Structures are given as C-alpha cells and as structure tokens.
Amino acid sequence: MFTGSIVALITPMNKSGGICHSSLKNLIDYHVLNKTTAIVSIGTTGESATLSQEEHIKVVMLTLEIANQRIPIIAGTGANATTEAIALTKRFEKSGIAACLSVTPYYNKPTQEGLYQHFKAISENTDLPQILYNVPSRTGCDLLPSTISRLSQFKNIIGIKEASGDLSRINQIKKIVKNNFLLISGDDATALDFIQLGGQGVISVTANIAAKEMTKMCSYALKGDFKNARYINERLSLLHEALFIESNPIPIKWLAKKMGLIQNDTLRLPMTPISSAGKVQLEKALQYANFQ
C-alpha cells in the first residue's frame, strides 16, 4: 500500500474557507477509480499550516469515512513541537489510518540529534507506522542519511518521503538502513529517476489532477519498463514544473478547479490566488500533458 503513486491530497474549501465535503468526496472517488495506491490527508499540500488542529483531525477523519476502506489513508501528523506531533499522532490511534507522515520540525532548525530525539519520542509514543518526511526547502532543516539510519532501527519507522531533490541520497540511504525501509520520492519532477535508482514510489502533487497517468507511470517503472514510464513522464514534465511556479498548493488547486475536480480554488491567507501569468503557464503545461 506504500508503493507506487500516493497522492498528497489538496484540501478543498468553499468560498468562505470552510471544508467542502462534496469536493472532498469527488477527489477521493477520483483516486479510487484511478487506482492511486494511498492518500496523504492533511500533509503540507493539504494546507496543514493554515488549518487548526481541530480542522486537521476533522478532515482526516472525514477522509477516512468517505474512503470507507477503499483506499489506504495516511495522516499528516508533523509539527515543529514534539509534544504537538505526539498528541496529533496519538489522536489517530485505532482510527483506521494506515500510517502517519511526519515532516521534520520547521523554522526552529533542530540539530541532527534534535531531529533524532524528536522522531524517537514520536515512535515511542505510538504503535502507528511512521513515514519520515524530509523537505529542506520548506522546513529549513535537512534530515541527513546518518540520522535516517539511526531512526530506521525503530520498528514502526517504516520509511521516508525524501524531497531534498538530491538523487544521490537514495544510494546513501539504501546502504545504511534496514532492507525493508521504504524510500518514497517527494518530488514529482525526479520521481521516475528516484524509482529507477531504487525507490518504491512517490507522494505526488501532480497525481491530484493526473491520477491515472501517475499510477501508470509508477507501475511501469516498478516493473522495470522504463520506456513506457518515460513516455508518460515526458508528457507530464511541464506539469511537474509548472505546479511549483507559485507556492504549492496554489497552482494545483487552480488546475483541480479548472478540471472540475473541486468546486472552488479557495486558499487561506497568507496563500493567495494564482497570478494571470501563472495561469498561462499552467494552461500550456496542461495542453502539453494532453490527458483530458
């Protein structure tokens, strides 16, 4: 359930900024239909930074309810305070979620020992499977391979979403972690190369609007059919890039609305609507992908 194309699901909102239940159902049904292997609910793409903890929990539980065991749900549970991350993680015990995705603490820039102690404390306070998440460009800290190796020794720390963009990390990590430790890309643009170098899949932003294509691309790649995988990936290449011309999830929400997957592309401040120039670039990328 933790291989292939896993979607970092956007959180659909109505015009007033509340959660749009009907759009959330539409998104989940779309991913079930197109064989996405799992959904990450309220990760950073799901706007965890601008949702209250009460809303965060509510959306994860609503996602579980709508999914109704048709697709595994991974809950985003990261925080820059260890006590908060533990409390959020424990809230989902016995809920039915498949795992937790826990981003490195942001802004406070912990040392490697601080990162180790943070994830160690979370692991020791829950039985839920934990997937580490390293995205230095957004958090201001980098979870290094040596620290990942130490953390991989905990039974319920099962893998990492690696989004540093450094493909050399894959081999570095593989050499020093337990054999069944999952390596999952967090960068759509390099996900295919990541899999070819030994990764098991991607937690994808692109999959929000190209679920079928990302599923097929990952499936081909995991079978070693890189010719067909690269054909699909080349069509999506402009989209992978265009989805980050403005801060995620601004572009992906606008495209999801344009494609009829959600009713509104509402964001919460300090996130603002896509610019006119951004729309032009996204239109070109969508046309190039040619999957409508």
Side-chain angles (χ1 to χ4, degrees), residues 118-136:
H118 171 80
F119 289 116
K120 175 177 181 286
I122 296 170
S123 172
E124 290 175 340
N125 278 277
T126 186
D127 292 326
L128 286 170
Q130 300 292 305
I131 301 171
L132 310 173
Y133 180 15
N134 186 40
V135 55

Side-chain angles (χ1 to χ4, degrees), residues 243-257:
L243 288 174
F244 294 90
I245 54 171
E246 296 181 23
S247 297
N248 183 42
I250 294 171
I252 191 65
K253 272 198 154 179
W254 183 78
L255 277 179
K257 180 189 176 186

Side-chain angles (χ1 to χ4, degrees), residues 136-148:
S137 64
R138 295 293 288 255
T139 62
C141 70
D142 190 0
L143 186 62
L144 298 178
S146 57
T147 308
I148 295 167

Side-chain angles (χ1 to χ4, degrees), residues 260-271:
L261 290 167
I262 59 176
Q263 294 175 25
N264 302 286
D265 59 346
T266 307
L267 300 143
R268 290 186 180 178
L269 287 170
M271 307 302 276

Side-chain angles (χ1 to χ4, degrees), residues 156-195:
N156 61 341
I157 297 181
I158 63 169
I160 183 166
K161 176 185 177 182
E162 170 55 48
S164 67
D166 181 0
L167 290 172
S168 69
R169 286 279 178 95
I170 303 164
N171 194 45
Q172 293 174 39
I173 296 169
K174 281 177 70 69
K175 286 180 177 179
I176 56 177
V177 295
K178 57 192 178 187
N179 290 336
N180 60 347
F181 192 77
L182 293 168
L183 295 177
I184 304 169
S185 172
D187 177 39
D188 281 300
T190 58
L192 178 53
D193 292 329
F194 190 101
I195 294 172

